[in-house]
Amino acid sequence: MTKSRSRRTLLFNPKKLNNPFWVCVISLAIFIPSRSCSPTSPTLINFGDSNSDTGGVLAGTGLPIGLPHGITFFHRGTGRLGDGRLIIDFFCEELKLSYLSPYLEALAPNFSSGVNFAVSGATTLPQFVPFALDVQVRQFIHFKNRSLELQSLGKIEKMMDEEGFKKGVYMIDIGQNDLLVALYASNLTYKPVAQKIPSFLAEIKLAIQNLYANGGRKFWIHNTGPLGCSPKELALHPHSHKDVDQIGCLRVHNQVAKSFNKGLKSVCKELRSQFKDAIIVYVDVYTIKYNLFTYPKTYGLENDPLMACCGYGGPPNNYNVKATCGQPGYSICSNPSKSIIWDGVHYTEAANHLVASAILSSHFSTPNLTLPQISYS
C-alpha cells in the first residue's frame, strides 16, 4: 500500500457528495448529467453474493435469516447478512432509489428502481447450479423479457421499463466464495488456487458479454476484499506469525484475492476495448477494506478489527463454527458501529457505510467516474 493511496482515503469527505450544487457543477464539467440536472431516475441491476444480497437467499431457499441480523437499522431480519444496510443499500440512498428487491421475492416486490439477483453463497462456478453467476444472468434475461411483455399488456406498476434496462447500471460483485472453496480444497496453498482463477474470471467476462448482448451498456464491477482479514478464516485455520502479514491477516488468502483482482482489472480493460460504446468501471474495494483493517481507529472503528462483533469465544476472533451469530450461545458487542466485521465474515453497517462512501468518491474507480455520474448519463 502506498502512502499516497491511504492519504487520499483518510482525507476523503463523503459529505461533499451530498451537495447538489457541486454534483451539478462536476457533472456539467464532464458533460454527464447529474441527479440535480436530469429528471430521469436511474436503475440498478445487481449480480453477486452475500456482499450485496438484500434477501435473495431468504426468498430463494427459505433459509431463515432473522435477528440479530438487521438489528441496527431494519430492526428485523431482511435476509441481509449483517446488522444493517449493505454497500448497495447506501448506493440506493445516494441515488434516491428504493432499496433493491430480490428477483425471487414473491410478495410485494418493487422493481421500479431495479432488481437484485445476488444470493448469499453464490459463485461463478460450477455453471447451472443455483445461484451461480450464469444462472443469475439467465434469470435477468427472463426478467427483462417478461417485464417488457407485461408492459406491452399495460401492466407497469412497480416495474422497470425498456429505458430502465437500456440505461441501467449493471453491477457485479462476486468471486470471494470461489476463492475460498479453492483455498480449502488446496489446503491453503496458493498455486492451485491461482491456476483456477482464470476460469472464475472467464465466467465474469462471459456474464458481462451476455449482459451487453442483452442491451447493457453501463457496468460497475467490484473486485474482492481482503479475505485473509476475516475473523472466521483466522479462527478456522491454525497459523503462526509467518502465516500473517503486518496487520495480522492471513497472507495466502490475501495473495489469491490480489491475483484475482489483478486479473479482473485486466478483463475490464479488455472489454472496454471490445465494447467501445460501453462504460465499464472497475472498483478497487480491496484497498478500501484493507485500509479499514490497517487504520481502524482513524475511521472510528475502535474495537479489535480482527474480532467479530456477533459470535462466540471471545478474543482473538470471537468466532466458533458451533455457535455462530444467531445460534445458541452467541453474544453481541456493546456497540456494533465500532466494529468492522459483524459475524466473522460480513461487515457491519458502519463499515459498509465507510466503504460505500469511499467508493462513491471515485478515487478507487478505473476509469475515474462516480456511480451517480454513470447512473444519470
Side-chain angles (χ1 to χ4, degrees):
M1 187 192 320
T2 64
K3 292 184 178 180
S4 60
R5 173 69 81 181
S6 61
R7 187 177 183 83
R8 282 189 299 180
T9 309
L10 301 181
L11 294 177
F12 166 63
N13 181 5
K15 293 181 179 179
K16 292 182 179 179
L17 287 175
N18 294 324
N19 187 320
F21 172 76
W22 287 112
V23 172
C24 219
V25 168
I26 294 171
S27 299
L28 287 172
I30 59 173
F31 303 103
I32 297 178
S34 74
R35 69 165 177 253
S36 300
C37 309
S38 171
T40 305
S41 295
T43 51
L44 302 178
I45 301 98
N46 185 68
F47 306 85
D49 51 32
S50 59
N51 285 327
S52 57
D53 180 359
T54 56
V57 72
L58 175 61
T61 68
L63 181 68
I65 301 176
L67 292 171
H69 296 291
I71 194 171
T72 295
F73 182 79
F74 299 101
H75 309 297
R76 62 184 179 86
T78 64
R80 291 167 174 80
L81 288 167
D83 63 312
R85 289 165 288 185
L86 308 179
I87 292 170
I88 196 166
D89 294 317
F90 290 109
F91 288 170
C92 288
E93 290 182 2
E94 174 67 18
L95 297 172
K96 308 301 182 187
L97 302 175
S98 59
Y99 299 134
L100 295 187
S101 291
Y103 163 71
L104 294 171
E105 180 56 68
L107 301 175
N110 182 353
F111 297 126
S112 57
S113 294
V115 58
N116 194 357
F117 297 92
V119 175
S120 298
T123 56
T124 66
L125 288 172
Q127 289 185 325
F128 313 117
V129 175
F131 294 93
L133 181 58
D134 68 308
V135 173
Q136 294 181 25
V137 172
R138 287 180 172 84
Q139 290 175 330
F140 161 74
I141 295 171
H142 169 70
F143 175 83
K144 178 184 177 183
N145 293 338
R146 182 62 173 155
S147 296
L148 297 180
E149 178 186 9
L150 290 173
Q151 287 174 51
S152 70
L153 300 174
K155 301 176 182 180
I156 58 174
E157 185 179 357
K158 294 184 179 181
M159 293 174 59
M160 291 176 63
D161 57 17
E162 189 166 4
E163 189 75 0
F165 288 108
K166 180 180 178 182
K167 293 192 173 182
V169 179
Y170 292 77
M171 314 179 77
I172 297 177
D173 186 336
I174 201 166
Q176 66 177 18
N177 293 321
D178 294 274
L179 295 175
L180 288 173
V181 169
L183 274 168
Y184 301 159
S186 71
N187 195 26
L188 305 189
T189 305
Y190 173 81
K191 188 174 180 180
V193 182
Q195 292 172 342
K196 294 181 179 179
I197 287 176
S199 63
F200 306 152
L201 297 173
E203 289 301 310
I204 297 176
K205 179 180 178 180
L206 180 61
I208 297 172
Q209 290 171 327
N210 285 334
L211 292 171
Y212 179 91
N214 282 274
R217 291 297 182 271
K218 295 184 286 189
F219 299 91
W220 189 263
I221 314 298
H222 287 188
N223 71 11
T224 200
L227 307 178
C229 300
S230 163
K232 173 188 174 183
E233 294 304 309
L234 288 162
L236 289 182
H237 306 295
H239 54 275
S240 69
H241 70 280
K242 294 181 181 180
D243 301 314
V244 298
D245 64 13
Q246 67 275 14
I247 64 170
C249 300
L250 292 167
R251 292 182 187 277
V252 66
H253 286 64
N254 286 353
Q255 285 172 346
V256 298
K258 289 178 183 178
S259 294
F260 173 87
N261 293 341
K262 182 179 179 180
L264 183 61
K265 189 173 186 179
S266 296
V267 166
C268 291
K269 182 178 180 180
E270 177 186 347
L271 290 176
R272 277 188 219 106
S273 298
Q274 181 179 348
F275 302 136
K276 300 293 186 180
D277 60 337
I279 299 172
I280 303 174
V281 179
Y282 167 87
V283 184
D284 184 11
V285 176
Y286 181 99
T287 296
I288 298 171
K289 289 183 173 180
Y290 193 82
N291 281 346
L292 294 186
F293 289 102
T294 306
Y295 310 107
K297 293 184 178 179
T298 302
Y299 298 97
L301 303 167
E302 298 174 359
N303 295 340
D304 187 333
L306 302 180
M307 186 168 166
C309 171
C310 182
Y312 175 81
N317 307 121
N318 196 39
Y319 181 88
N320 188 309
V321 70
K322 296 180 180 180
T324 57
C325 183
Q327 293 183 339
Y330 83 95
S331 62
I332 302 176
C333 62
S334 60
N335 190 348
S337 70
K338 301 297 182 182
S339 292
I340 297 176
I341 300 296
W342 165 245
D343 57 359
V345 179
H346 306 97
Y347 287 61
T348 62
E349 176 179 280
N352 283 330
H353 193 189
L354 288 165
V355 173
S357 297
I359 291 172
L360 289 167
S361 75
S362 83
H363 291 322
F364 302 90
S365 299
T366 305
N368 193 228
L369 295 171
T370 68
L371 181 59
Q373 284 171 355
I374 72 167
S375 297
Y376 287 93
S377 62

